[in-house]
Amino acid sequence: MMKTRVVLLFAVLFALFLPFQQASSAAASPNDLIEMVNGLRRNNGLPEMEIHSALMASSQSQSDYLASEYGTNFPGWEQGHTGAGGTRAIDRALAAGYPVGPGWNVVENWAVGGESTPLSDIVYVQWNDAAHMGNMLHPDVVHVGAGVTSGDGYVYYIMNFGVEYGSGGSGSGGVASTVPTTAVTPKVAPVTVATPDEDGSIFHTVEIGQALWSIALAYETTVEQLRALNNLAANAVIYEGQTLMVRAPYTPTPSPTATETPRPPTRTPIPAQTAQPVATAVQPEEGGFLGLDRQTMGLVLILISGVGLVLIVLGTMTRGKKQPAEKEE
């Protein structure tokens, strides 16, 4: 009984989880892609494009071909526009039954992303350049078709645009006499690298057919750096004649100011001094006269007294001798 409940519980969880997995990994449909691009046209005041079955078929065949031919080894720019047998977009459209006449053309966008890549990244990031935006926002686009093919972790996207030049997108306008009747798939124009200014900055003037990625490639930089230098949003469109900063001016590194340190004065050498003997003063003993102790002082007094006594005696004797001589006179 317990085993049955566990099995039922796992079955319920699996049934709830499986649809979610399928929905989260499913790629956008061709109609989703067309609707997003038509929304872009509406936001720019342009008429919506009409879906044409032949362009849908030719677009789907190209996305299937790229997925099978390249898979995760993504093709180059021109390879993505080249179909089986070397066909071009207009060749595939004609083979699918699209009525291309004088003054008509078929142009193409292609991209590849991951299974989790938002559709907006395809339209507003990968196709955010003059060539791709020029196709999606061309005023004379009448018909559209799209193809989406998923593979092992990748998704290929194709859009084909039927253009009647001079129609204004209505499909009933006149054909301009200057438009060639031979359809040619537009190519990205080559980029001529500009000379740096004296301060090291580089500015590039956009020419028709140039894209952010081709400019970045020519200057050995990245699309993200170009957007950052020029404050371009993710869905910004560059246009002919626009000036783009490719490299900012050099910022000179300030050199530290040298401070002159005064040299210390030259010391005058002092000649060597000969050591002089130092006389040691004899300090009198405390309590004596003239530095004499009591015993010596006593001997000196005795001597003085003796000398005085001798002088007295001698004086007395001298007087005694003189007195008899006076009497004889």
mmCIF file of all heavy atoms in Angstrom, residues 188-196 202-211 214-220 242 244 246:
data_model
loop_
_atom_site.group_PDB
_atom_site.id
_atom_site.type_symbol
_atom_site.label_atom_id
_atom_site.label_comp_id
_atom_site.label_asym_id
_atom_site.label_seq_id
_atom_site.Cartn_x
_atom_site.Cartn_y
_atom_site.Cartn_z
ATOM 1 N N VAL A 188 27.119 44.063 -45.864
ATOM 2 C CA VAL A 188 27.635 45.073 -44.954
ATOM 3 C C VAL A 188 28.809 45.777 -45.615
ATOM 4 O O VAL A 188 29.712 45.139 -46.155
ATOM 5 C CB VAL A 188 28.074 44.429 -43.627
ATOM 6 C CG1 VAL A 188 28.745 45.460 -42.726
ATOM 7 C CG2 VAL A 188 26.879 43.818 -42.917
ATOM 8 N N ALA A 189 28.778 47.110 -45.600
ATOM 9 C CA ALA A 189 29.835 47.891 -46.240
ATOM 10 C C ALA A 189 31.133 47.761 -45.464
ATOM 11 O O ALA A 189 31.128 47.652 -44.235
ATOM 12 C CB ALA A 189 29.414 49.357 -46.316
ATOM 13 N N PRO A 190 32.273 47.771 -46.165
ATOM 14 C CA PRO A 190 33.561 47.709 -45.471
ATOM 15 C C PRO A 190 33.789 48.975 -44.642
ATOM 16 O O PRO A 190 33.228 50.032 -44.933
ATOM 17 C CB PRO A 190 34.575 47.588 -46.608
ATOM 18 C CG PRO A 190 33.884 48.149 -47.803
ATOM 19 C CD PRO A 190 32.429 47.799 -47.630
ATOM 20 N N VAL A 191 34.610 48.841 -43.623
ATOM 21 C CA VAL A 191 34.862 49.951 -42.704
ATOM 22 C C VAL A 191 36.293 50.440 -42.912
ATOM 23 O O VAL A 191 37.243 49.655 -42.837
ATOM 24 C CB VAL A 191 34.667 49.517 -41.237
ATOM 25 C CG1 VAL A 191 35.024 50.655 -40.288
ATOM 26 C CG2 VAL A 191 33.228 49.060 -41.016
ATOM 27 N N THR A 192 36.434 51.721 -43.215
ATOM 28 C CA THR A 192 37.750 52.352 -43.322
ATOM 29 C C THR A 192 38.112 52.947 -41.965
ATOM 30 O O THR A 192 37.369 53.769 -41.423
ATOM 31 C CB THR A 192 37.752 53.458 -44.395
ATOM 32 O OG1 THR A 192 37.369 52.890 -45.652
ATOM 33 C CG2 THR A 192 39.126 54.087 -44.523
ATOM 34 N N VAL A 193 39.225 52.512 -41.432
ATOM 35 C CA VAL A 193 39.626 52.929 -40.086
ATOM 36 C C VAL A 193 40.087 54.377 -40.112
ATOM 37 O O VAL A 193 40.881 54.781 -40.976
ATOM 38 C CB VAL A 193 40.753 52.016 -39.560
ATOM 39 C CG1 VAL A 193 41.235 52.500 -38.196
ATOM 40 C CG2 VAL A 193 40.260 50.577 -39.460
ATOM 41 N N ALA A 194 39.582 55.179 -39.171
ATOM 42 C CA ALA A 194 39.938 56.599 -39.082
ATOM 43 C C ALA A 194 41.286 56.776 -38.397
ATOM 44 O O ALA A 194 41.715 55.931 -37.604
ATOM 45 C CB ALA A 194 38.863 57.367 -38.320
ATOM 46 N N THR A 195 41.942 57.894 -38.701
ATOM 47 C CA THR A 195 43.234 58.216 -38.093
ATOM 48 C C THR A 195 43.013 58.823 -36.710
ATOM 49 O O THR A 195 42.170 59.696 -36.535
ATOM 50 C CB THR A 195 44.002 59.217 -38.973
ATOM 51 O OG1 THR A 195 44.155 58.658 -40.286
ATOM 52 C CG2 THR A 195 45.370 59.514 -38.389
ATOM 53 N N PRO A 196 43.763 58.369 -35.708
ATOM 54 C CA PRO A 196 43.600 58.950 -34.370
ATOM 55 C C PRO A 196 43.950 60.427 -34.339
ATOM 56 O O PRO A 196 44.823 60.892 -35.081
ATOM 57 C CB PRO A 196 44.579 58.124 -33.509
ATOM 58 C CG PRO A 196 44.836 56.876 -34.299
ATOM 59 C CD PRO A 196 44.719 57.257 -35.729
ATOM 60 N N ILE A 202 39.677 58.538 -31.230
ATOM 61 C CA ILE A 202 39.312 58.098 -32.572
ATOM 62 C C ILE A 202 37.809 58.256 -32.738
ATOM 63 O O ILE A 202 37.031 57.793 -31.893
ATOM 64 C CB ILE A 202 39.717 56.632 -32.817
ATOM 65 C CG1 ILE A 202 41.236 56.456 -32.696
ATOM 66 C CG2 ILE A 202 39.255 56.165 -34.197
ATOM 67 C CD1 ILE A 202 41.690 55.023 -32.858
ATOM 68 N N PHE A 203 37.391 58.897 -33.831
ATOM 69 C CA PHE A 203 35.986 59.066 -34.154
ATOM 70 C C PHE A 203 35.736 58.468 -35.541
ATOM 71 O O PHE A 203 36.524 58.673 -36.468
ATOM 72 C CB PHE A 203 35.585 60.537 -34.114
ATOM 73 C CG PHE A 203 35.609 61.143 -32.737
ATOM 74 C CD1 PHE A 203 36.756 61.743 -32.239
ATOM 75 C CD2 PHE A 203 34.489 61.087 -31.922
ATOM 76 C CE1 PHE A 203 36.790 62.280 -30.971
ATOM 77 C CE2 PHE A 203 34.511 61.627 -30.648
ATOM 78 C CZ PHE A 203 35.656 62.221 -30.174
ATOM 79 N N HIS A 204 34.625 57.743 -35.643
ATOM 80 C CA HIS A 204 34.273 57.112 -36.911
ATOM 81 C C HIS A 204 32.926 57.641 -37.393
ATOM 82 O O HIS A 204 31.969 57.738 -36.614
ATOM 83 C CB HIS A 204 34.187 55.589 -36.746
ATOM 84 C CG HIS A 204 33.763 54.883 -37.997
ATOM 85 N ND1 HIS A 204 34.634 54.614 -39.035
ATOM 86 C CD2 HIS A 204 32.548 54.394 -38.381
ATOM 87 C CE1 HIS A 204 33.980 53.990 -39.997
ATOM 88 N NE2 HIS A 204 32.719 53.844 -39.629
ATOM 89 N N THR A 205 32.857 57.978 -38.672
ATOM 90 C CA THR A 205 31.611 58.412 -39.276
ATOM 91 C C THR A 205 30.954 57.220 -39.962
ATOM 92 O O THR A 205 31.551 56.588 -40.842
ATOM 93 C CB THR A 205 31.863 59.533 -40.304
ATOM 94 O OG1 THR A 205 32.507 60.631 -39.638
ATOM 95 C CG2 THR A 205 30.555 60.015 -40.905
ATOM 96 N N VAL A 206 29.746 56.902 -39.529
ATOM 97 C CA VAL A 206 29.039 55.731 -40.029
ATOM 98 C C VAL A 206 28.648 55.932 -41.487
ATOM 99 O O VAL A 206 28.126 56.990 -41.863
ATOM 100 C CB VAL A 206 27.784 55.448 -39.177
ATOM 101 C CG1 VAL A 206 27.032 54.230 -39.712
ATOM 102 C CG2 VAL A 206 28.171 55.235 -37.720
ATOM 103 N N GLU A 207 28.909 54.923 -42.302
ATOM 104 C CA GLU A 207 28.491 54.930 -43.694
ATOM 105 C C GLU A 207 27.363 53.921 -43.886
ATOM 106 O O GLU A 207 27.172 53.017 -43.068
ATOM 107 C CB GLU A 207 29.678 54.585 -44.602
ATOM 108 C CG GLU A 207 30.809 55.605 -44.531
ATOM 109 C CD GLU A 207 31.955 55.228 -45.439
ATOM 110 O OE1 GLU A 207 31.815 54.249 -46.204
ATOM 111 O OE2 GLU A 207 33.001 55.910 -45.387
ATOM 112 N N ILE A 208 26.623 54.070 -44.949
ATOM 113 C CA ILE A 208 25.485 53.204 -45.196
ATOM 114 C C ILE A 208 25.947 51.748 -45.318
ATOM 115 O O ILE A 208 26.974 51.450 -45.930
ATOM 116 C CB ILE A 208 24.724 53.637 -46.467
ATOM 117 C CG1 ILE A 208 23.421 52.852 -46.592
ATOM 118 C CG2 ILE A 208 25.592 53.476 -47.715
ATOM 119 C CD1 ILE A 208 22.488 53.397 -47.650
ATOM 120 N N GLY A 209 25.217 50.867 -44.689
ATOM 121 C CA GLY A 209 25.537 49.450 -44.722
ATOM 122 C C GLY A 209 26.494 49.003 -43.638
ATOM 123 O O GLY A 209 26.779 47.812 -43.512
ATOM 124 N N GLN A 210 26.988 49.941 -42.813
ATOM 125 C CA GLN A 210 27.892 49.553 -41.736
ATOM 126 C C GLN A 210 27.103 49.220 -40.477
ATOM 127 O O GLN A 210 26.021 49.767 -40.247
ATOM 128 C CB GLN A 210 28.892 50.670 -41.452
ATOM 129 C CG GLN A 210 29.874 50.903 -42.580
ATOM 130 C CD GLN A 210 30.880 51.989 -42.260
ATOM 131 O OE1 GLN A 210 30.736 52.746 -41.310
ATOM 132 N NE2 GLN A 210 31.921 52.080 -43.083
ATOM 133 N N ALA A 211 27.654 48.320 -39.690
ATOM 134 C CA ALA A 211 26.998 47.870 -38.470
ATOM 135 C C ALA A 211 27.947 48.035 -37.293
ATOM 136 O O ALA A 211 29.167 48.156 -37.466
ATOM 137 C CB ALA A 211 26.585 46.403 -38.609
ATOM 138 N N SER A 214 30.586 45.336 -37.271
ATOM 139 C CA SER A 214 31.639 45.466 -38.282
ATOM 140 C C SER A 214 32.597 46.605 -37.926
ATOM 141 O O SER A 214 33.801 46.524 -38.170
ATOM 142 C CB SER A 214 31.034 45.691 -39.673
ATOM 143 O OG SER A 214 30.281 46.894 -39.713
ATOM 144 N N ILE A 215 32.064 47.681 -37.327
ATOM 145 C CA ILE A 215 32.917 48.791 -36.881
ATOM 146 C C ILE A 215 33.818 48.323 -35.738
ATOM 147 O O ILE A 215 35.008 48.611 -35.702
ATOM 148 C CB ILE A 215 32.056 49.993 -36.461
ATOM 149 C CG1 ILE A 215 31.273 50.532 -37.666
ATOM 150 C CG2 ILE A 215 32.913 51.094 -35.839
ATOM 151 C CD1 ILE A 215 30.257 51.606 -37.327
ATOM 152 N N ALA A 216 33.221 47.596 -34.802
ATOM 153 C CA ALA A 216 34.003 47.075 -33.674
ATOM 154 C C ALA A 216 35.103 46.139 -34.159
ATOM 155 O O ALA A 216 36.238 46.172 -33.661
ATOM 156 C CB ALA A 216 33.078 46.355 -32.687
ATOM 157 N N LEU A 217 34.782 45.311 -35.138
ATOM 158 C CA LEU A 217 35.777 44.376 -35.675
ATOM 159 C C LEU A 217 36.918 45.122 -36.354
ATOM 160 O O LEU A 217 38.101 44.777 -36.187
ATOM 161 C CB LEU A 217 35.103 43.432 -36.664
ATOM 162 C CG LEU A 217 35.969 42.293 -37.232
ATOM 163 C CD1 LEU A 217 36.402 41.356 -36.117
ATOM 164 C CD2 LEU A 217 35.196 41.521 -38.291
ATOM 165 N N ALA A 218 36.604 46.173 -37.106
ATOM 166 C CA ALA A 218 37.636 46.919 -37.827
ATOM 167 C C ALA A 218 38.586 47.631 -36.866
ATOM 168 O O ALA A 218 39.789 47.733 -37.132
ATOM 169 C CB ALA A 218 36.989 47.930 -38.770
ATOM 170 N N TYR A 219 38.058 48.123 -35.747
ATOM 171 C CA TYR A 219 38.880 48.865 -34.793
ATOM 172 C C TYR A 219 39.401 47.989 -33.655
ATOM 173 O O TYR A 219 39.985 48.503 -32.695
ATOM 174 C CB TYR A 219 38.083 50.036 -34.213
ATOM 175 C CG TYR A 219 37.886 51.180 -35.180
ATOM 176 C CD1 TYR A 219 36.727 51.284 -35.945
ATOM 177 C CD2 TYR A 219 38.868 52.166 -35.343
ATOM 178 C CE1 TYR A 219 36.538 52.337 -36.839
ATOM 179 C CE2 TYR A 219 38.682 53.221 -36.226
ATOM 180 C CZ TYR A 219 37.519 53.298 -36.974
ATOM 181 O OH TYR A 219 37.339 54.348 -37.845
ATOM 182 N N GLU A 220 39.159 46.680 -33.760
ATOM 183 C CA GLU A 220 39.625 45.729 -32.749
ATOM 184 C C GLU A 220 39.111 46.094 -31.365
ATOM 185 O O GLU A 220 39.851 46.123 -30.381
ATOM 186 C CB GLU A 220 41.152 45.646 -32.748
ATOM 187 C CG GLU A 220 41.731 45.138 -34.059
ATOM 188 C CD GLU A 220 43.245 45.003 -34.030
ATOM 189 O OE1 GLU A 220 43.849 45.420 -33.018
ATOM 190 O OE2 GLU A 220 43.810 44.472 -34.999
ATOM 191 N N GLN A 242 26.316 59.327 -38.767
ATOM 192 C CA GLN A 242 26.474 59.438 -37.321
ATOM 193 C C GLN A 242 27.955 59.311 -36.952
ATOM 194 O O GLN A 242 28.687 58.500 -37.511
ATOM 195 C CB GLN A 242 25.667 58.354 -36.615
ATOM 196 C CG GLN A 242 25.743 58.406 -35.086
ATOM 197 C CD GLN A 242 24.876 57.328 -34.443
ATOM 198 O OE1 GLN A 242 24.251 56.527 -35.142
ATOM 199 N NE2 GLN A 242 24.824 57.291 -33.132
ATOM 200 N N LEU A 244 30.666 58.242 -34.272
ATOM 201 C CA LEU A 244 30.826 57.373 -33.111
ATOM 202 C C LEU A 244 32.229 57.537 -32.540
ATOM 203 O O LEU A 244 33.212 57.582 -33.289
ATOM 204 C CB LEU A 244 30.610 55.905 -33.496
ATOM 205 C CG LEU A 244 29.219 55.502 -33.983
ATOM 206 C CD1 LEU A 244 29.214 54.031 -34.386
ATOM 207 C CD2 LEU A 244 28.160 55.762 -32.915
ATOM 208 N N VAL A 246 35.236 55.893 -30.988
ATOM 209 C CA VAL A 246 35.778 54.537 -30.923
ATOM 210 C C VAL A 246 36.789 54.416 -29.791
ATOM 211 O O VAL A 246 36.877 53.381 -29.137
ATOM 212 C CB VAL A 246 36.439 54.159 -32.267
ATOM 213 C CG1 VAL A 246 37.052 52.765 -32.199
ATOM 214 C CG2 VAL A 246 35.414 54.231 -33.387
#
